[in-house]
Amino acid sequence: MLTMQDALARLTAYWTEQGCLTVQPMNTEVGAGTLNPATFLRVLGPEPWRVVYVEPSVRPDDSRYGENPNRLQTHTQLQVILKPDPGNPQELYLGSLEALGIDVKAHDVRFVEDNWASPALGAWGLGWEVWLDGLEITQFTYFQQAGGINLEPVSVEITYGIERIIMALQDKTHFKEIEYAPGISYGEVFGQGEYEMSRYYLDDADVAANRQLLELYAGEAQRLIDAGLPVPAHTYVLKCSQAFNVLDARGAVSTADRAAEFARMRRLAGDVARLWEARRDELNHPLGLVEPLPPARPVSLPAEKTQPRTLAFEIGTEELPPSEARAALTYVEKAVTDGLAATRLTHDEVRVFATPRRLVAVVGSVAARETDSVRVVRGPKLAAAYAPDGSPTKALEGFLRGHGITAAEVEQSDFNGVRHVTVSRHEAGGAAAEVLAPLLAKVVTGLRGAKNMRWNDPQLSYSRPIRWLTALWGDDVIPVAVGTMAAGRTTRVLRTAEQPEVEVASAETFMETLAINGIVADPEDRQELIVTGAQDSVYPDGRVDVAGEAALIDQITYLVEAPTPLLGTFDESYLTLPDAVLTTVMRKHQRYLPVRSAEDGSLLPMFVTVANGPVDLELVRAGNEAVLRARYEDAAFFYRADRQVPLPAMRSRLERLTFTDKLGSMADRAARISAVAADLAGPLGLLTPTLERASQLVKFDLGSQLVTEMTSLAGVLARDYAENAGETPAVAQAIYETELPRNTGDRLPASVPGALLSIADRLDLIAGLAATVGLPTGSSDPFALRRAFLGLIAVHRAQPALAGLSLTDGLTFAAARQPVVVSEDVLLSARDFLAKRLEQVLVEEGRPVDRVRAVLPHHARPSVADKLLAQLDSLVLDPDFVRVAEALQRCRRIVPAGTPDSYDESVLVEPAELRLHEAVVAVAAEVSALEEPDLVRFTEVVRRLAVPLADFFVDVFVMDENPVLRAARLGLLATVRDLGAGLLDWSELRL
Amino acid sequence: MLTMQDALARLTAYWTEQGCLTVQPMNTEVGAGTLNPATFLRVLGPEPWRVVYVEPSVRPDDSRYGENPNRLQTHTQLQVILKPDPGNPQELYLGSLEALGIDVKAHDVRFVEDNWASPALGAWGLGWEVWLDGLEITQFTYFQQAGGINLEPVSVEITYGIERIIMALQDKTHFKEIEYAPGISYGEVFGQGEYEMSRYYLDDADVAANRQLLELYAGEAQRLIDAGLPVPAHTYVLKCSQAFNVLDARGAVSTADRAAEFARMRRLAGDVARLWEARRDELNHPLGLVEPLPPARPVSLPAEKTQPRTLAFEIGTEELPPSEARAALTYVEKAVTDGLAATRLTHDEVRVFATPRRLVAVVGSVAARETDSVRVVRGPKLAAAYAPDGSPTKALEGFLRGHGITAAEVEQSDFNGVRHVTVSRHEAGGAAAEVLAPLLAKVVTGLRGAKNMRWNDPQLSYSRPIRWLTALWGDDVIPVAVGTMAAGRTTRVLRTAEQPEVEVASAETFMETLAINGIVADPEDRQELIVTGAQDSVYPDGRVDVAGEAALIDQITYLVEAPTPLLGTFDESYLTLPDAVLTTVMRKHQRYLPVRSAEDGSLLPMFVTVANGPVDLELVRAGNEAVLRARYEDAAFFYRADRQVPLPAMRSRLERLTFTDKLGSMADRAARISAVAADLAGPLGLLTPTLERASQLVKFDLGSQLVTEMTSLAGVLARDYAENAGETPAVAQAIYETELPRNTGDRLPASVPGALLSIADRLDLIAGLAATVGLPTGSSDPFALRRAFLGLIAVHRAQPALAGLSLTDGLTFAAARQPVVVSEDVLLSARDFLAKRLEQVLVEEGRPVDRVRAVLPHHARPSVADKLLAQLDSLVLDPDFVRVAEALQRCRRIVPAGTPDSYDESVLVEPAELRLHEAVVAVAAEVSALEEPDLVRFTEVVRRLAVPLADFFVDVFVMDENPVLRAARLGLLATVRDLGAGLLDWSELRL
């Protein structure tokens, strides 16, 4: 059996053979091999560097007393840095797996999008998790930035998770069972340390001491930066990081602390990085400089042909993220189509395909040459071409000489009404290869991803490295050259194929060549294979919810080139876990399709995974099953443990979770939510025992282990644990609904207590954070307040029982409950922010802007706005409403702002105005009797003013010379105007 | 070329093959691999453990900015632990050198005594430095104690210094030039780190911050101990250690700090160790238990022989320290001789021999059997043996029965004058093998070293492990069995021999067998080989000072079994270094014999080293030369640098060196020495410009780099640097002499200013430390105060010009200069301590105790005591002196204590008393005119009292009835008594 120490030795030896230095782990605690100066500092600057080292990586937060089978406070990374990118790092990596004795042909080894960023280090890169039969065994990253500095050249970072790999290879279910050395288990060697360090990190580390350590370390780091010493400064940045992680594991870090600490570390790390670069410059780069690769030379032009042939163009990449592959599909189609349109090459349909590793365009019957054309070249004006004697002027002579023609060959044409001499030049079309080469090159250079990276090609930038180009027109290679790549006739198929590189005879056989080699280039074909394969494998008892899993299936389609669906099972006992737990693990973590009973839709203890290529099915199935088992075991471990804990005990753990520095613990926050919910419910008569009990428990599941692990399950697990603990379904549901909606489009609270708690939750969040951190600005919304506002709006709109609830009143209640002062200014800004969000939501739903703005005075009660908008939909077709509305707007225009809605009726004289007066008096009484904003009822009442108003405007001159009369008339109109006040912002309405 | 990373990989692979686990370096800074829990914790308790790991070891104090060719703040150790001792760890170790490609047959690989102790860890062990051609490449230790706990089983610790080994193998002269990986040098990889971390440790580390860190770490360590968590506690102990080392490198640790900090760390480490053991007990020893080796079974007894044969007995050991081998020689000779004497085996001379690896006893003509003997066994008293009727009593019957004899066979004998019945038993002698076996076993078990250790033999304990026994009598193996060893006929010769184990045919050929195999067992032969070999190799121009180097030659004699002297040279340019530097390096560090010019005795640029066995001379010479070059280069580097520094600048560096917490810096101390010297010199009129200038500079060389490196050269280098800086030779000499004597028997100051400064130095040391730390107690003398007192005495005695100087007055001056209060009590104790030391010194010189005690009142002026003792030597032969002395003692006895030395002469009546009175008056005037204590002059004067006194005692009855007369007579005698007061303590003198 390959022992763990052998594995480390073999990997080290393998990478040493690839020219890597071997160095030692960092001699201060680090969370990852990346932090070792052999990575963090060495990826900076222009010097080459290849290194391999083991790094025991300390993650205090992962402490589990050695009990959890897969989680350790110190796990062993093996870290490789290749600088510059050697051009074939994935292939080198697969070689390292073979060095471990892993048959990469039999296993399903995949590169699954995973981008890496460390805000604390100002570092990021693009790359993948490497999956071995569904198990993440390696992080593979093209480092783009470190310490905020763009990296040039780019380094490849390969980080192996050794315990995981060994557990898989040794078929162990607990890390302690790993055979570390012959006859000696991991547990025997490291078990006690795991337990004791877990105790330290979780229970016994002194918070005050570690706070002091953090400050002392930061102080030393800063002093050393000031002294121009990046190496010791870096060491102290690492010590900061460890002290911070210890505090975090002890639950002593608030969100605000975290942000501040990350900012400080980012700043320090950036300073260290810049200093290091400067020092290496001063030292004149002891390890030399990386030479950029030279640009490629295209193949020579093929001999001319005459018959139309197919064009096949392939851009070979390393594994693209699914979304990028899909986007590229659209781009390539347009780029090729437009490109061809700009030539004079005739051709048939342009078809494009994409897999994770290739973008393919195939165009039928592309002509061998462009059609010829005639170009008319303009010469001097006719008037200036000939002397009065008709002989050519010097200007014409020059023109003739320039084109090598005689005066006899000259023609004439009008240009903008002026006659010029011209000459017609016959232009032959270009040969296909000649014309296509620059066109295709442009397709490549035009590729852009949502996130782009650089690799060893000095000229290109894209979502992932482009590694080869295949460009054929018929039998000929088109001489495309981009960056360091020259197109040829070689394509690459599965890396694990007997022959991973294949010559393609001609463009016509291109797709066939791929197909023969197992590559299903067409996404539709792949999807078909996946769906039918999945359904077949579970038929007849199970089914895959193809519609429901559409997004996942789409993703899987772009994760494989040669889909090999296979059915796995898991132990039925795990079905006792909540559905959401099971499916979240399957979908989010493993990209497995859940399988449901064809009968009742309940989950079956199976899953469909889709491997890539002709793997050993049994081996891959077993591997994936083991991974899922480990994940479920993990979840079950926490689930069982959580269900042992009484809810109040779990809830009391919230006291140890800091919410923010100024706003106290999560327990404080839960208490506020509870109080605000009561504030809201009281006036509405909605105070119920359900609400009361749910309020006592709200958020309790944040104190559970499983939610700590899988935060997306907050609420879901609360419901489960609450029911398990004997709470009523209504209470459980209300606690669950407190968390709704979790994102835009998520389900909304169905129960009134749930809706009240949901709103109270968000009001508390907004009131507290607006006062302490501020409302979201364009780019900064660290606490997702925007989402909270949208949630408020959505919940209010969805729950008719809350129509009477004013969110702005609620905000005032929530403000009063905060441990900090929430100023009136802050509340005003928050109301304004709410109004703006409501406007935005309604407009995005397709409501006319004018009507949205008209109802916006009701932003405190979004459901009222909804009702009014709905009424407007029909009322705008009602001539009476239009008339009334216009009249109200007219009154508004005529009456100066500030005019009071009272008048001395005794001075009115004209019959029309007296009639209006009478009508207004009658209507006003009825209008003021309307309790709730209701445009229909309002219109029913006010439509009686339509005729009197019309008459008034015809018969009465408002601006009479007699000021008393004028005042009375204006007062009358102001009264009309104010009839609709508070119902709509009438001025916004466009009729 | 073997790169450094290859070397690490090869050693790791080699030890893994020997069953070692591979673990990672510690992820917090450690000063040595020993501190890694894989050593410090795992050597505790009964579980087996074999491990190999690399440990980058941080020694802030060794920081040299990467400039020094051999000194690094972080060097790379490779650490191996074998628990239990496998029985052949040295052989396994040599295998590891072969794994590195080192031909151990061609090189001179030696195990040179080096015991290891870490007071801060409560840990110690015995073992060796391993030398490769004179280069220390490995520390090899049998761990005996850790955390204050005795280790059972014992672990073998092997620590390789990788950089050194690689520099030797790659023939590099600077660590930066090491080829770390193919084409990449050590300097390229680690050079910047060396520089920057040196900057941190030497210049930029914040002292206050590191002090705080130290306290925080110690606090966490203690808390974790209290929480019962040894693993994290140990981590914090390590962090304490690093913080302390940083402070130390910054010169911020006083001697008192150091002692306190070591005590704290020792306590913490001890607690951690005990906790670890307890936890492993609780965990039931996951790695199992080490089974102790079974006792050996001796070979069977040989058939009986008749002729006398030689006895050869060999105790095979691992390399004994020279002093232990010498001591064992004496022990074995006595043990064998005494042992044989207790047998009835006749034999010839007992000869014993010793080498580092064997103790041999050879005894000629040991009889085949013991001679027979007759033993008389005592029976009952005759009186009780027979009844009155002459028949045997029951007692006699029992006796007869017991011996199976009849009454007729009974004899009689007297025992203490009482007649008993007896029986004569004829006892046959034992066969040689039978008799010798227990005798020889007892020789082995009786071996004791000055320091003893345990290894894998559960029953034995000795200076180093005993690994084999060879015991032959003639052709027969004597069935000796001790512990796990049974003697045989196999001896071991050089480990590098073709056949390291050799069968010995017979005892008679034993020595020959050794000789044939190159082992020179007789130390005298070896010494002869060394001396003649050395002289031959340097003849005729050079010579080795055999007499002067006797101690070194004696040591070398016991460092080799097969001496191979060889001559090496070094570059003449190094001869510009002071002699003391060159020879200290040669003798102390390398055990090389310096070579001097046969003409003028000046050092020649060569040395003689003595290899062991038939090595490749050229290779070994080159290796040794390289080692010496490196050491001299090191010294020259510092020497050159030091000589660039103006003396005041160097002196000012003393401000950064803490002397002790309470007594300030070394600069403070130097200032006090200077002031005290002036205090002493003033009254004696010895204030000279030389003294003044020397005082200004005193101790300045403690600020030099070379003295920091080689503290034994303090003073020597001061003289050199001072002369180089243009000081007068007298000033330079005085500064040098301040440090004298450096130990007992060392030379003493020759000049008066030197002597004054030397005394001032010691007075300051004593006054300050006696007040703050206390005077030495039996076992504790951390500041070597005892030596300071002895120095005071020696200097005073040697310098006649200082005869008038009172050391106790000096102590008072020095006390007044201290920054702390030195109480009268402390001063009294110090005076008393001085007196006791003087007594001890004089007695040890062979002076009679009574005379020493008699002169002890002059302890403040030891030279006075000397003078008086010298005078006593002749005076005790002078009858007058004896008479006077006896008279004085008689007066003392007669006159009650407290009687005043005055009397009313008018009441005297007897002629004898009147004559005495007159004589006393005359003598008293002369005695009081004697300025200095001088027994000769005193005797000359006082001898005039001899006759009057004799007469007085004959004629006068002192205790007259008349009280007035009695008082006068007693007063007269008191006056006589007091004539000698202050000169001697007459009462002590035995005449």
Side-chain angles (χ1 to χ4, degrees), chain B residues 19-61:
Chain B
C20 288
L21 285 177
T22 316
V23 301
Q24 301 305 320
M26 186 59 187
N27 64 357
T28 192
E29 295 93 337
V30 291
T34 304
L35 298 167
N36 188 311
T39 293
F40 181 75
L41 296 180
R42 295 291 181 171
V43 297
L44 299 163
E47 293 169 75
W49 183 250
R50 282 195 174 197
V51 75
V52 54
Y53 55 94
V54 179
E55 190 73 68
S57 300
V58 182
R59 307 259 170 96
D61 214 33

Side-chain angles (χ1 to χ4, degrees), chain B residues 8-20:
Chain B
L8 293 172
R10 284 204 206 170
L11 284 174
T12 305
Y14 173 82
W15 285 109
T16 305
E17 280 158 28
Q18 308 308 323
C20 288

